[in-house]
């Protein structure tokens, strides 16, 4: 593999100059390429492969649906896996009597959530509310609406003229910013007042930060305070659990760590374990019914919405999560992973912070321990470490921009929720080797 070569085939990817190995198959938490090389999937891709590779029960559930009816349009039919999945999902979400709308990706469910927030406000008689407040150093997707509420300057920059303006507040980031939940709520309130509460529809945020801030966990009072401000000003709280949903952080939903419920919940990535592109946006029955009474229909669509095969895959994934107690396993293995990362890496001069919850951990790499100064983005430190781990058969995730939107390197670890203790040791050992070689 030449990590810097422009590939020969007719495919192009996001990272243009990076030759990739050809995958052969996956099993459990391991992947094997055509050359026979074995990789431990220590991040489940980008936190997608929650129940492991090669799960025959998911394949069979999908196959059954594919054989009976591979595709039906959601305007014309419903399907048994879809109805069953929605009712089983309702039992595990942290919302009362929810209703779900299904789409194919995180960006799509975020787009739908923005439109849903707008329509809930319209149905409540709040016609003027259309602004959605986001946070700096956040990520909600690549489509223009989702990118608009995201806070990653390099991703947004080429498209600024094409997006509607969105206010952003500071994210909770204890390593570099010690503000309390009360201070964060005061900032949110100030922004709501500045734009006018009668114009603000919603606030969107990741309950525990994903790649942008590398698993930064908000302080204990953050979410209760944010919930309170949203309630006070009639602003809907959209929890983006695209990455943190379905047990990734050791609870079904990351917001549960704060005992807070959202008004609108979105999830995607691990929803169908990576076996099918599938995600959902959920809201209360009351809000959806109000849209029906006042506006008629939900003004949104999608050829592949409510996909029966996706629902079959998601239903089988949910069954595995429940039957194998994988949310509990994520909590237990996560505590172990955090402790082992700390003891193997915590003392290294270029490791600034090790943070996370459940099976979602971020290791922030810094240039200087005293000042917490990051490496310049041009050195691509996270990518270089990622590459060294990959060459040694460990897949982790990397991200840049945590410190100030552009600079700041994070390596993230988030194995499938089926991970076992000896595999945690393997992850930590290879990652430590990769970091040590980077800075030797
Ligand atoms: C929190 C969050 N929201 C939304 C998205 C967008 O999801 P997708 O890449 O499936 O469009 C992501 C993807 O990384 C994410 O982490």
């Amino acid at each position: 593999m030449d990590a810097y070569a422009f590939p020969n085939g007719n495919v192009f990817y996001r990272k243009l100059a990076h030759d990739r190995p050809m995958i052969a198959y996956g099993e459990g938490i391991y992947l094997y390429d055509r050359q026979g090389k074995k990789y431990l999937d220590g991040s489940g891709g980008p936190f997608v492969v929650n129940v492991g590779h090669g799960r025959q029960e998911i394949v069979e559930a999908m196959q059954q649906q594919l054989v009976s009816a591979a595709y039906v349009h959601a305007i014309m039919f419903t399907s048994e896996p879809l109805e069953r999945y929605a009712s089983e999902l309702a039992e595990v979400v942290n919302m009362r009597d929810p209703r779900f709308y299904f789409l194919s990706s995180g960006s799509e469910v975020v787009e739908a959530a923005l439109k849903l927030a707008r329509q809930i406000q319209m149905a409540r008689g709040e016609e003027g509310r259309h602004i959605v407040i986001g946070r700096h150093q956040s990520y909600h997707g690549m489509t223009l609406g989702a990118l608009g509420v995201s806070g990653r300057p390099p991703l947004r920059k080429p498209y600024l003229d094409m997006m509607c303006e969105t206010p952003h507040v500071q994210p909770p980031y204890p390593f570099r910013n010690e503000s309390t939940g009360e201070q964060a709520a005061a900032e949110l309130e100030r922004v709501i007042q500045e734009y006018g509460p009668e114009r603000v529809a919603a606030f969107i945020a990741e309950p525990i930060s994903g790649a942008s801030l590398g698993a930064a966990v908000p302080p204990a009072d953050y979410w209760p305070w944010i919930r309170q401000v949203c309630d006070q000003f009639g602003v809907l709280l959209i929890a983006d659990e695209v990455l943190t949903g379905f047990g990734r952080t050791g609870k079904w939903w990351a917001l549960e760590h704060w005992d807070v419920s959202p008004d609108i919940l979105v999830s995607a990535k691990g929803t169908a374990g990576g076996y099918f592109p599938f995600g959902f946006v959920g809201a209360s029955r009351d809000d959806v019914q109000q849209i029906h009474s006042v506006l008629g229909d939900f003004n949104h669509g999608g050829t592949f919405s409510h996909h029966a095969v996706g629902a079959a895959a998601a239903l089988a994934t949910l069954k595995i999560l429940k039957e194998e107690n994988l949310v509990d396993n994520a909590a237990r293995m996560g505590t172990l992973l955090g402790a082992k990362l700390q003891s193997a890496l915590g003392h290294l001069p270029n490791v600034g912070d090790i943070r996370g919850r459940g099976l979602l951990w971020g290791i922030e790499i810094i240039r200087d321990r005293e000042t917490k100064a990051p490496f310049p983005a041009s050195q691509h430190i996270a990518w270089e470490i990622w590459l060294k781990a990959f060459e040694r058969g460990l897949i982790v995730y990397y991200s840049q921009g945590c410190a100030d939107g552009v600079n700041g390197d994070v390596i993230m670890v988030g194995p499938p929720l089926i991970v076992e203790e000896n595999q945690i040791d393997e992850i930590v050992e290879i990652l430590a080797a990769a970091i040590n070689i980077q800075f030797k």
Side-chain angles (χ1 to χ4, degrees):
M1 181 182 95
D2 182 344
Y4 296 98
F6 188 75
N8 283 327
N10 292 96
V11 183
F12 75 94
Y13 295 95
R14 176 177 183 167
K15 200 166 181 63
L16 291 167
H18 176 204
D19 206 9
R20 293 153 169 82
M22 179 77 75
I23 193 66
Y25 67 97
E27 201 168 48
I29 73 162
Y30 297 97
L31 286 165
Y32 301 82
D33 72 17
R34 283 272 187 91
Q35 310 291 318
K37 182 171 168 183
K38 181 179 178 183
Y39 305 80
L40 193 162
D41 193 354
S43 59
F47 315 100
V48 167
V49 186
N50 284 2
V51 296
H53 298 278
R55 300 295 305 234
Q56 282 312 305
E57 53 273 63
I58 304 180
V59 176
E60 278 159 25
M62 292 171 70
Q63 190 182 18
Q64 215 176 3
Q65 186 56 42
L66 277 163
V67 169
S68 46
Y71 175 81
V72 288
H73 197 306
I75 281 189
M76 303 165 194
F77 290 100
T78 189
S79 65
E80 189 179 329
L82 185 75
E83 295 295 334
R84 272 185 54 205
Y85 181 57
S87 84
E88 292 201 19
L89 183 59
E91 286 169 22
V92 298
V93 302
N94 51 342
M95 301 173 87
R96 208 166 42 81
D97 200 11
R99 295 293 182 269
F100 304 106
Y101 191 99
F102 297 96
L103 289 158
S104 314
S105 70
S107 302
E108 284 180 75
V109 291
V110 168
E111 291 288 335
L114 302 178
K115 290 187 179 176
L116 185 58
R118 167 75 179 136
Q119 289 174 67
I120 289 173
Q121 295 289 11
M122 287 167 72
R124 288 180 181 179
E126 300 274 356
E127 277 285 336
R129 289 189 188 255
H130 64 281
I131 293 169
V132 178
I133 300 173
R135 294 193 315 206
H136 296 292
Q137 283 116 305
S138 65
Y139 185 63
H140 300 290
M142 275 296 181
T143 51
L144 289 176
L147 195 57
V149 291
S150 299
R152 295 190 71 170
L155 297 181
R156 289 164 50 88
K157 199 170 165 206
Y159 311 112
L160 284 175
D161 290 339
M162 300 165 78
M163 295 185 293
C164 59
E165 214 214 305
T166 309
H168 289 81
V169 295
Q170 290 303 326
Y173 184 11
F175 179 56
R176 292 184 185 274
N177 170 358
E178 285 172 4
S179 22
T180 62
E182 189 171 4
Q183 287 165 327
E187 188 197 355
L188 179 60
E189 177 172 347
R190 185 181 53 68
V191 173
I192 293 172
Q193 295 286 18
E194 184 185 327
Y195 283 78
E198 70 289 350
R199 297 172 65 226
V200 180
F203 172 61
I204 184 166
E206 299 150 89
I208 292 177
S209 175
S212 311
L213 277 181
V217 181
D221 63 344
Y222 179 83
W223 281 110
W225 270 105
I226 295 291
R227 178 73 269 184
Q228 191 179 310
V229 169
C230 288
D231 288 342
Q232 186 182 343
F233 293 99
V235 170
L236 298 167
L237 175 57
I238 305 175
D240 181 347
E241 301 238 20
V242 164
L243 190 153
T244 52
F246 293 101
R248 168 60 53 198
T249 69
K251 288 195 185 279
W252 279 98
W253 311 98
L255 258 195
E256 287 182 68
H257 292 289
W258 288 265
D259 211 9
V260 164
S261 293
D263 298 300
I264 296 177
L265 172 68
V266 295
S267 198
K269 289 190 183 281
T271 305
Y275 290 75
F276 199 89
F278 206 60
F280 72 84
V281 51
S284 75
R285 177 202 157 109
D286 288 352
D287 281 326
V288 177
Q289 202 165 32
Q290 179 96 337
I291 290 177
H292 170 61
S293 312
V294 179
L295 306 177
D297 291 317
F298 177 44
N299 185 338
H300 194 58
T303 299
F304 294 112
S305 78
H306 305 82
H307 204 291
V309 179
L315 183 61
T317 303
L318 185 60
K319 190 162 179 258
I320 293 172
L321 286 173
K322 286 196 221 165
E323 286 182 359
E324 298 181 10
N325 292 318
L326 294 183
V327 182
D328 289 346
N329 194 56
R332 271 186 302 110
M333 290 298 125
T335 306
L336 211 61
L337 175 60
K340 291 190 180 211
L341 286 171
Q342 200 59 256
S343 85
L345 308 175
H347 62 285
L348 300 179
N350 295 103
V351 170
D353 192 28
I354 299 172
R355 56 193 177 238
R357 196 62 73 83
L359 285 173
L360 181 66
W361 285 85
I363 297 118
E364 185 164 339
I365 306 294
I366 49 168
R367 190 161 50 87
D368 185 316
R369 263 202 154 168
E370 286 291 299
T371 60
K372 298 185 181 176
F375 285 96
S378 56
Q379 288 192 27
H380 303 294
I381 293 292
W383 156 248
E384 289 291 339
I385 295 171
W386 177 87
L387 194 56
K388 290 175 177 63
F390 195 77
E391 283 164 357
R392 284 160 183 76
L394 171 68
I395 301 169
V396 287
Y397 202 73
Y398 67 93
S399 159
Q400 227 177 20
C402 61
D404 56 15
V406 176
N407 305 292
D409 297 273
V410 183
I411 297 294
M412 294 183 73
V413 182
L417 277 49
I418 54 170
V419 70
E420 294 167 8
E421 185 167 350
N422 62 321
Q423 297 164 332
I424 297 271
D425 291 334
E426 208 180 329
I427 293 171
V428 174
E429 195 182 310
I430 303 176
L431 183 56
I435 296 177
N436 279 317
I437 288 161
Q438 178 67 38
F439 296 111
K440 82 172 183 300

